[in-house]
C-alpha cells in the first residue's frame, strides 16, 4: 500500500464537519449535543465533547461496518503499526483478549497461555471453550514479581502438546518487562501455530527504537494494545492488530461485530484516530523526551538510600529480555514499608497517586503526559519518605511484609489436574463449600494470592489438599487473595456434584 498521509484524522474530521454543518438532530444520544444534559455535568465536561457525542450515520461511518472515515482511520493506524489490518476497540484490551481467543481457537482446541495472564484471558477461555495449556512465567524472588514466559518454556510446552493450535503471550508485563518476541515468533510459526500477543501495556513500542520490539514488528498474527494506558486515547480505547494470512479475517470481523456496541462512544473512537496521528507524526520526539525524563528520574531515585528501581542490569535474567524504561518500579522493601504502605503515604502526604502497589514495589508510569515538575515532586516525596521514621502504628497494621518473608513465599504448589474445561466449570451449577473442606472438589473460580498474582487454581481444576494447605498458610500470613467471590476465602465456589 502507498504511504498514507499520517497527518490526517478522517474520523475526528467527520465529527467536526457534522458539528459545523449545524444539522438539526433527532437522534441518539438523548442529551442532544448536551442540551438535555445535567447542567453541572455539562459545565464540567464542556460543550465540545457533548457536541461530538453523536451516533453512527451517513457521513460519520459505523464502527461495526466501516466504509468511510473509520475505514480510513483504521487503515492509517494499521500502516502506523505495520499491521495488515487494525481494528478500533472501545472496551479495552479486555475485549481484545476475548476477540483474539474467539478468533483463533475452537471449543476443545488447545491454546498455550501463561498462568499469570490478565483475567480477560480467562474470559476468552470461557467464551471460546478452548482448553488451556498453562505455562509458568518466570518468578523473580528478589523483586517479588513475575516476568515473562521464555522461549524455552514455550518450546517445552509445544513438545509436550504438539496439538496446541495457538500460543498466547503477555509482553510487556505490568512492570515493563518484555519477552523475547522475535525468538518466540520464529519458534511458534516454525511449528505452524498461531501467535497471539497481549501487548496491552506496549502501545508505544512501535514508535521509538529505544523501546522493546513491538508485537507487530515481531510478526504476531494478532495482538492488542491498550491505547488508553500508555498513549493519549480516552480510557477503554484499544486497538487490535492483525498480520499475515494465518488467521481468518472473516472470522475475526464476525467476532468483532459480536463484541462491539452498536452505539459506540464517538469521542472515544475519535481519540483513537488522533492518538495514532500524534504518534505517527510526533511519536519519536514525544517518546524521546519521556524516556529521557524517566531514565533521569530512575537515576535520581536510585541515589536515595533504601530505594531500588531496576533498570538495564535486569536484562538477561530469566524471563527478562528487554525493558520499557517508561515504567518505574520502585522497590521500597529496604525502607521497611510494603509497597501498599508507600503508595498510601504518597497519596495521603504528597497527593501523589501511583499506578500499582504490591508487597515490595510501587510502579509509577511515565507517559507523554508526565511533566518535569511531576517527576521532581515524585523524587522529593521519595526523599522525604526515605528520611522519615517508619510510622508503624498507622500504616503497618498487619506486619504482612515480615510474615510473608518468613515463610518461603514463592514456592507455588503444582498446577492441579484439570477435570473440566474452564468454560464448563464456569457455566456449571455451583455451590459454596467451606474452603478448608474443599479438597477433591472442582473449583469454579480463580484463586490468586497477590503477589505474585499467579492463579494457584483456575476454574475446572481440582482443589488438591496441597493447594488448600498452601492457601490457608498464605491467608494466615496476611496475603491478599484475588479472584474469589468470598474475599476471606472462608468458602469457595465449586461445581455441584
Ligand atoms: C496484561 C493486560 N492485559 C489486558 C488488560 C485489560 O486492558 P483494558 O483495561 O484496556 O481492558 C490489562 C489491564 O490492566 C492488562 O494488564
Amino acid at each position: 500500500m502507498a504511504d498514507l498521509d499520517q497527518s490526517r484524522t478522517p474520523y475526528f474530521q467527520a465529527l467536526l464537519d457534522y458539528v459545523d454543518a449545524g444539522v438539526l438532530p433527532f437522534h441518539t444520544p438523548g442529551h442532544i449535543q448536551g442540551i438535555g444534559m445535567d447542567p453541572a455535568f455539562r459545565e464540567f465536561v464542556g460543550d465540545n465533547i457533548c457536541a461530538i457525542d453523536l451516533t453512527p450515520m451517513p457521513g460519520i461511518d459505523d464502527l461495526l461496518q466501516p466504509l468511510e472515515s473509520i475505514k480510513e482511520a483504521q487503515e492509517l493506524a494499521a500502516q502506523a503499526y505495520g499491521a495488515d489490518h487494525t481494528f478500533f476497540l472501545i472496551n479495552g484490551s479486555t475485549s481484545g483478549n476475548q476477540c483474539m481467543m474467539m478468533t483463533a481457537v475452537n471449543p476443545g482446541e488447545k491454546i498455550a497461555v501463561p498462568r499469570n495472564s490478565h483475567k480477560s484471558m480467562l474470559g476468552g477461555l470461557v467464551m471460546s471453550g478452548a482448553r488451556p495449556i498453562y505455562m509458568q512465567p518466570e518468578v523473580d524472588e528478589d523483586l517479588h514479581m513475575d516476568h515473562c514466559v521464555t522461549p524455552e518454556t514455550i518450546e517445552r510446552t509445544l513438545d509436550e502438546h504438539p496439538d496446541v493450535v495457538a500460543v498466547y503471550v503477555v509482553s510487556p508485563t505490568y512492570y515493563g518487562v518484555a519477552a523475547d518476541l522475535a525468538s518466540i515468533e520464529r519458534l511458534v510459526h516454525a511449528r505452524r501455530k498461531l501467535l497471539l500477543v497481549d501487548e496491552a501495556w506496549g502501545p508505544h513500542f512501535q514508535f521509538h527504537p529505544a523501546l522493546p520490539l513491538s508485537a507487530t514488528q515481531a510478526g504476531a498474527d494478532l495482538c492488542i494494545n491498550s491505547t488508553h494506558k500508555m498513549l493519549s486515547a480516552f480510557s477503554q480505547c484499544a486497538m487490535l492488530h492483525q498480520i499475515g494470512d494465518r488467521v481468518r479475517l472473516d472470522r475475526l470481523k464476525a467476532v468483532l461485530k459480536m463484541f462491539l456496541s452498536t452505539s459506540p462512544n464517538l469521542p472515544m473512537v475519535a481519540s483513537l484516530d488522533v492518538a495514532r496521528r500524534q504518534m505517527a507524526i510526533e511519536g519519536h520526539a514525544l517518546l524521546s523526551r519521556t524516556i529521557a525524563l524517566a531514565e533521569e528520574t530512575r537515576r535520581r531515585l536510585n541515589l536515595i538510600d533504601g530505594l531500588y528501581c531496576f533498570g538495564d542490569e535486569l536484562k538477561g535474567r530469566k524471563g527478562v529480555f528487554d525493558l520499557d524504561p517508561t515504567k518505574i518500579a520502585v522497590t521500597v522493601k529496604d525502607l521497611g514499608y510494603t509497597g501498599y504502605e508507600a503508595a498510601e503515604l504518597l497519596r495521603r502526604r504528597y497527593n501523589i497517586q501511583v499506578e500499582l502497589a504490591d508487597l515490595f514495589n510501587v510502579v509509577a508510569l511515565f507517559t507523554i503526559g508526565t511533566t518535569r515538575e511531576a517527576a521532581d515532586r515524585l523524587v522529593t516525596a521519595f526523599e522525604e519518605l526515605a528520611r522519615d521514621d517508619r510510622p508503624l502504628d498507622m500504616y503497618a497494621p498487619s506486619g504482612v511484609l515480615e510474615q510473608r518473608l518468613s515463610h518461603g513465599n514463592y514456592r507455588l504448589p503444582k498446577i492441579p489436574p484439570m477435570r473440566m474445561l474452564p468454560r464448563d466449570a464456569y457455566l456449571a451449577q455451583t455451590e459454596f463449600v467451606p474452603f478448608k473442606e474443599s479438597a477433591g472438589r472442582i473449583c469454579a473460580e480463580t484463586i490468586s494470592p497477590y503477589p505474585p498474582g499467579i492463579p494457584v487454581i483456575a476454574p475446572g481444576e481440582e482443589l488438591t489438599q496441597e493447594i488448600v494447605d498452601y492457601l490457608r498458610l498464605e491467608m494466615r500470613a496476611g496475603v491478599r487473595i484475588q479472584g474469589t467471590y468470598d474475599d476471606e476465602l472462608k468458602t469457595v465456589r465449586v461445581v455441584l456434584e
Side-chain angles (χ1 to χ4, degrees):
M1 193 192 280
D3 276 355
L4 303 175
D5 178 359
Q6 290 287 342
S7 67
R8 283 175 56 73
T9 49
Y11 187 66
F12 179 42
Q13 191 57 49
L15 302 187
L16 295 180
D17 291 346
Y18 183 89
V19 175
D20 278 353
V23 179
L24 188 61
F26 285 92
H27 58 70
T28 58
H31 62 72
I32 309 288
Q33 296 185 295
I35 298 167
M37 189 167 268
D38 175 83
F41 184 70
R42 178 177 169 185
E43 195 189 341
F44 184 77
V45 299
D47 288 344
N48 287 341
I49 194 103
C50 298
I52 61 166
D53 186 21
L54 303 164
T55 192
M57 65 180 96
I60 285 192
D61 211 2
D62 186 352
L63 193 55
L64 284 154
Q65 191 106 36
L67 298 170
E68 306 161 6
S69 55
I70 294 189
K71 180 170 182 289
E72 189 188 343
Q74 293 189 148
E75 284 168 1
L76 282 158
Q79 192 162 85
Y81 275 94
D84 288 329
H85 296 93
T86 290
F87 301 92
F88 291 170
L89 302 174
I90 48 162
N91 195 19
S93 286
T94 296
S95 66
N97 268 331
Q98 293 158 356
C99 288
M100 286 204 295
M101 292 217 178
M102 288 287 287
T103 303
V105 275
N106 291 316
E109 284 182 345
K110 289 185 181 170
I111 179 166
V113 295
R115 186 76 178 172
N116 63 332
S117 304
H118 185 256
K119 63 183 177 184
S120 52
M121 185 283 289
L122 188 72
L125 289 178
V126 168
M127 288 173 191
S128 66
R131 177 177 292 276
I133 304 297
Y134 292 111
M135 301 182 286
Q136 206 64 263
E138 298 302 324
V139 169
D140 190 321
E141 304 225 354
D142 295 339
L143 295 169
H144 275 228
M145 63 180 67
D146 46 289
H147 300 318
C148 297
V149 167
T150 61
E152 294 72 33
T153 299
I154 294 175
E155 187 161 34
R156 204 171 47 247
T157 306
L158 293 179
D159 285 345
E160 284 167 18
H161 299 274
D163 52 345
V164 155
V165 170
V167 174
Y168 166 99
V169 294
V170 181
S171 178
T173 64
Y174 213 162
Y175 300 90
V177 169
D180 182 0
L181 284 185
S183 302
I184 293 173
E185 186 275 335
R186 277 195 297 277
L187 171 68
V188 170
H189 285 156
R191 301 201 186 197
R192 298 182 189 284
K193 317 290 181 199
L194 297 175
L195 176 61
L196 320 181
V197 181
D198 176 344
E199 196 183 50
W201 284 102
H204 51 318
F205 287 2
Q206 181 72 20
F207 301 102
H208 204 285
L211 296 172
L213 190 78
S214 73
T216 46
Q217 286 161 339
D221 298 289
L222 292 174
C223 66
I224 47 164
N225 291 150
S226 285
T227 322
H228 71 93
K229 286 194 195 298
M230 299 299 292
L231 297 179
S232 62
F234 280 137
S235 286
Q236 281 185 234
C237 293
M239 295 190 195
L240 189 157
H241 309 291
Q242 178 268 330
I243 291 183
D245 52 12
R246 293 183 195 85
V247 164
R248 275 183 46 193
L249 198 59
D250 61 323
R251 165 101 169 232
L252 173 59
K253 286 187 175 178
V255 167
L256 285 163
K257 278 198 174 69
M258 193 169 68
F259 275 80
L260 285 169
S261 165
T262 48
S263 316
N265 177 285
L266 306 198
M268 278 168 59
V269 182
S271 78
L272 280 165
D273 196 17
V274 296
R276 180 273 314 156
R277 174 180 64 180
Q278 187 181 37
M279 276 300 110
I281 303 294
E282 307 171 80
H284 189 275
L286 292 171
L287 289 167
S288 291
R289 189 200 66 83
T290 308
I291 293 166
L293 186 62
E295 293 286 31
E296 182 194 316
T297 308
R298 178 178 278 104
R299 274 194 298 276
R300 290 172 68 192
L301 290 170
N302 270 328
L303 292 177
I304 302 173
D305 263 357
L307 291 187
Y308 171 58
C309 307
F310 67 74
D312 281 346
E313 73 287 354
L314 211 70
K315 288 185 196 168
R317 240 185 232 194
K318 272 191 138 189
V320 185
F321 182 73
D322 207 350
L323 291 174
D324 174 1
T326 68
K327 297 194 185 69
I328 304 186
V330 189
T331 306
V332 293
K333 71 168 184 233
D334 289 343
L335 293 184
Y337 291 117
T338 65
Y340 308 116
E341 290 163 340
E344 196 177 333
L345 281 169
L346 286 171
R347 180 59 194 264
R348 284 213 213 168
R349 280 201 205 150
Y350 304 99
N351 214 12
I352 289 174
Q353 180 61 51
V354 289
E355 168 67 22
L356 162 78
D358 67 29
L359 201 64
F360 276 19
N361 312 283
V362 296
V363 177
L365 297 187
F366 274 54
T367 75
I368 56 175
T370 308
T371 62
R372 172 163 290 280
E373 190 218 341
D376 286 344
R377 275 185 58 191
L378 186 73
V379 174
T380 307
F382 271 115
E383 281 167 349
E384 288 185 21
L385 212 65
R387 265 200 307 270
D388 278 358
D389 284 339
R390 186 178 175 221
L392 261 172
D393 50 335
M394 205 171 153
Y395 296 107
S398 59
V400 173
L401 186 61
E402 293 75 9
Q403 289 186 47
R404 183 68 150 79
L405 284 176
S406 67
H407 92 94
N409 45 63
Y410 274 134
R411 249 155 276 129
L412 295 168
K414 283 191 292 299
I415 295 179
M418 194 189 307
R419 301 229 332 246
M420 285 172 99
L421 292 182
R423 174 194 178 84
D424 296 340
Y426 195 86
L427 299 177
Q429 301 258 44
T430 57
E431 63 177 332
F432 285 93
V433 296
F435 182 67
K436 61 178 193 280
E437 292 160 21
S438 64
R441 301 295 299 268
I442 301 175
C443 195
E445 51 189 4
T446 305
I447 311 180
S448 312
Y450 188 87
I454 299 177
V456 295
I457 187 155
E461 291 175 339
E462 181 181 322
L463 281 149
T464 58
Q465 192 62 51
E466 184 194 6
I467 283 183
V468 173
D469 293 344
Y470 171 84
L471 283 170
R472 293 188 69 210
L473 196 66
E474 291 284 285
M475 294 290 284
R476 275 207 296 280
V479 167
R480 290 196 312 185
I481 299 291
Q482 289 183 332
T484 50
Y485 182 79
D486 178 352
D487 293 334
E488 293 177 22
L489 202 57
K490 291 203 172 90
T491 58
V492 61
R493 200 157 70 95
V494 296
V495 173
L496 193 67
E497 280 182 349

